[in-house]
Amino acid sequence: MCGFAAAPLGKVRIGLIGVGARGSGAVSRLAKFQDVEVVALCDLFEERTKGGQATLMRNGRKPAQLFFGSENAWKKLVELDLDLIYICTPWQLHTPMAVLAMANGKHAAVEVPAATTLEECWQLVETSEKTGRHCMMLENCCYDFFELLTLNMVRQGVFGQLTHAEGAYIHDLAAGLQDRSEPWRLQHNIDRNGNLYPTHGLGPIAQCLDINRGNRFDYLTSISSQEAAFTAQARRDNKPTLATLPKYRGDMNTSVIKCANGQTVMVQHDISTPRPYSRIHLLQGSDGCAMKWPEPERIALASVDGGHRWLTEAEMLDIQKKYAHPLDKTIGEIAKKVGGHGGMDVIMDYRLIYCLKLGLPLDQDVYDAAAWSAVTPLSAASLKHKGDSRDFPDFTRNRWKSNAPLAIVDVEPAKLPLIEIKKDGSKQLAV
Ligand SMILES: NC(=O)c1ccc[n+]([C@@H]2O[C@H](COP(=O)([O-])OP(=O)(O)OC[C@H]3O[C@@H](n4cnc5c(N)ncnc54)[C@H](O)[C@@H]3O)[C@@H](O)[C@H]2O)c1
């Protein structure tokens, strides 16, 4: 399935499951693609599907068929005549939904992480291979602007040979998670240890390192700190239930991966300590270094003062001009205008729909989904044994040696126009 291209589609007919915080944003983005039809929406709650419907109507789209009211209503949705099932539900439902979608002949686009266990990773791989359907994990951070820039620079050899990378999901959700009406995410954090959400930090790095395409994650070792910040937050918020959580897993998980081609990757997970957001995104090579967080974004090059200082703002602008990723140049501005994590969500959806429409390989395949998600179970297993290393399964079954690296891709905007609704209610094409 690496490099696999399905038959081109005229329109991409989508059924979306999970119209919560993330899913409702997805509906509003997908409603802007002229060649997308959101045919069906499903959620446990009727009012959420109606919210999605209202978004479609506001964007001048046909109403969708609505499914709600039962935990299994989505099983009817995946039987409809659709091309793609877009899954924005809690983590434990990602693999079962993606697997049944593919078994019903649909491509699956699934939120992060795609799987929670190694068995689920294999289920995704085997089902995608057996059915010949795409399974793309919706790793939007691969399409953020600095990540795209640095991927392009890596491909052009600006950093030399990569030796080390760092990624993370450091996002203080301690207060927010405690306030949610459906605490599924908090429950995962209570029940499970390890790096529960590795793919935002890891995905863009894995693309730079050609993971599954000439390189692979070989083994991992992982340790977690004790818990303190979550309890402190609960105490500050006067939330006694959380302050007495005896099993909360610990604030910071640090995992280190060794790659087959020699590189090391550190990936961290911390959703409870008071600290500004960071995915780190550090790339170290023999000729230079890039680092996104803490901001501002920074680059150091051996060719500029021996790499002993970060480039100045003016030098960074020159870099941007010289190495901006083609996707940034063609659809970056419109993506920022439509919104969604500063534009990266739109670029991700654009590439997904574009490739399905034109019958091109997707940027992320099922092996990426499996290898990036596998960090969660492997880290849990490693830290149980004082950081003993755990081997990554080779989900590609040795094909990583011959799979081609992800190209520096682009789009022709005329082939996939976006629609904007003007103030008078008429439609116009934005791209
Ligand atoms: N890529 C990103 O930047 C990003 C950002 C936020 C969330 N996410 C991911 O998106 C997913 C959803 O997160 P969220 O914050 O929207 O959560 P949420 O709780 O707001 O939404 C989940 C929705 O799924 C629905 N649901 C639950 N069980 C269902 C079932 N059996 N059938 C149909 N619908 C069901 C819920 O009713 C809810 O509306 C998660 O996997 C999360 O990790 C990704």
Side-chain angles (χ1 to χ4, degrees):
M1 296 304 292
C2 182
F4 166 80
L9 303 166
K11 264 192 192 294
V12 183
R13 297 162 306 159
I14 299 180
L16 184 142
I17 315 174
V19 201
R22 185 74 181 143
S24 50
V27 175
S28 92
R29 295 193 307 275
L30 294 170
K32 301 209 161 45
F33 287 86
Q34 181 175 255
D35 297 320
V36 160
E37 201 179 319
V38 179
V39 176
L41 295 170
C42 176
D43 198 278
L44 291 177
F45 302 103
E46 181 179 12
E47 68 270 22
R48 296 192 184 171
T49 59
K50 282 188 169 162
Q53 188 80 294
T55 303
L56 293 177
M57 306 312 280
R58 253 198 324 279
N59 284 278
R61 312 312 297 253
K62 281 195 220 153
Q65 199 174 332
L66 304 183
F67 295 80
F68 51 83
S70 124
E71 286 197 358
N72 290 318
W74 63 274
K75 292 183 180 166
K76 290 268 169 254
L77 178 147
V78 299
E79 289 173 1
L80 298 178
D81 189 15
L82 298 167
D83 302 306
L84 173 70
I85 308 295
Y86 199 107
I87 299 161
C88 301
T89 49
W91 301 339
Q92 67 278 10
L93 295 169
H94 289 178
T95 296
M97 288 177 166
V99 164
L100 199 62
M102 290 186 274
N104 274 274
K106 281 77 180 178
H107 301 300
V110 56
E111 261 303 342
V112 299
T116 58
T117 63
L118 292 181
E119 292 72 27
E120 285 191 345
C121 292
W122 277 116
Q123 269 179 32
L124 289 175
V125 167
E126 281 163 6
T127 311
S128 179
E129 287 177 345
K130 199 167 106 194
T131 58
R133 297 292 81 189
H134 289 293
C135 177
M136 169 173 153
M137 185 166 68
L138 292 162
E139 187 38 84
N140 48 343
C141 297
C142 292
Y143 299 92
D144 211 352
F145 293 90
F146 192 70
E147 284 80 341
L148 286 174
L149 172 79
T150 49
L151 174 64
N152 196 21
M153 292 176 74
V154 167
R155 289 287 188 271
Q156 298 201 35
V158 180
F159 301 118
Q161 199 180 338
L162 290 187
T163 51
H164 176 73
E166 296 177 12
Y169 187 70
I170 295 172
H171 189 185
D172 183 3
L173 299 170
L177 273 186
Q178 295 174 35
D179 283 337
R180 291 178 75 112
S181 52
E182 293 147 75
W184 62 265
R185 191 162 175 174
L186 176 62
Q187 198 59 48
H188 276 283
N189 280 280
I190 292 168
D191 293 344
R192 298 163 58 211
N193 205 338
N195 186 329
L196 268 52
Y197 205 59
T199 71
H200 283 336
L202 201 54
I205 287 172
Q207 290 186 336
C208 290
L209 291 173
D210 296 334
I211 297 304
N212 296 332
R213 300 151 194 256
N215 194 4
R216 75 179 207 88
F217 293 145
D218 188 356
Y219 59 90
L220 165 154
T221 179
S222 183
I223 48 175
S224 282
S225 78
Q226 90 280 28
E227 188 279 325
F230 216 82
T231 306
Q233 181 68 42
R235 215 179 293 119
R236 279 195 294 277
D237 290 349
N238 201 15
K239 292 258 168 65
T241 41
L242 282 157
T244 56
L245 280 178
K247 288 188 292 178
Y248 186 71
R249 66 189 151 69
D251 290 325
M252 171 65 88
N253 173 266
T254 301
S255 304
V256 183
I257 302 169
K258 178 77 176 171
C259 299
N261 291 351
Q263 301 89 351
T264 48
V265 177
M266 181 188 78
V267 56
Q268 293 188 311
H269 180 250
D270 177 350
I271 57 156
S272 48
T273 53
R275 174 171 160 185
Y277 180 91
S278 171
R279 299 197 300 270
I280 305 177
H281 190 64
L282 178 136
L283 297 166
Q284 181 63 63
S286 51
D287 294 343
C289 172
M291 185 173 185
K292 182 164 177 175
W293 281 279
E295 286 164 319
E297 296 158 352
R298 280 168 282 186
I299 287 173
L301 298 174
S303 56
V304 182
D305 291 339
H308 291 286
R309 65 166 177 85
W310 298 113
L311 298 186
T312 62
E313 230 172 280
E315 288 164 338
M316 285 294 280
L317 278 175
D318 289 342
I319 290 276
Q320 171 66 30
K321 266 190 216 137
K322 196 163 167 196
Y323 296 108
H325 193 286
L327 286 173
D328 183 355
K329 291 187 201 155
T330 46
I331 52 168
E333 279 318 302
I334 185 71
K336 282 178 192 158
K337 211 171 121 197
V338 175
H341 286 117
M344 65 182 176
D345 296 352
V346 179
I347 302 181
M348 171 185 74
D349 288 331
Y350 200 102
R351 272 294 296 171
L352 168 63
I353 305 299
Y354 187 87
C355 293
L356 289 178
K357 185 185 169 195
L358 300 180
L360 303 170
L362 304 187
D363 301 337
Q364 296 172 42
D365 59 37
V366 72
Y367 310 106
D368 298 323
W372 306 352
S373 301
V375 167
T376 301
L378 292 173
S379 60
S382 168
L383 63 84
K384 251 194 207 159
H385 298 277
K386 294 190 169 185
D388 268 5
S389 70
R390 286 291 178 271
D391 288 347
F392 278 79
D394 176 8
F395 295 107
T396 71
R397 297 185 188 90
N398 227 22
R399 293 202 185 90
W400 63 273
K401 290 180 179 161
S402 52
N403 288 338
L406 176 67
I408 297 299
V409 295
D410 199 1
V411 291
E412 285 179 57
K415 292 190 173 160
L416 185 62
L418 294 177
I419 297 169
E420 244 181 357
I421 299 291
K422 290 200 280 191
K423 280 205 177 103
D424 64 4
S426 62
K427 281 185 201 171
Q428 72 179 33
L429 298 182
V431 180

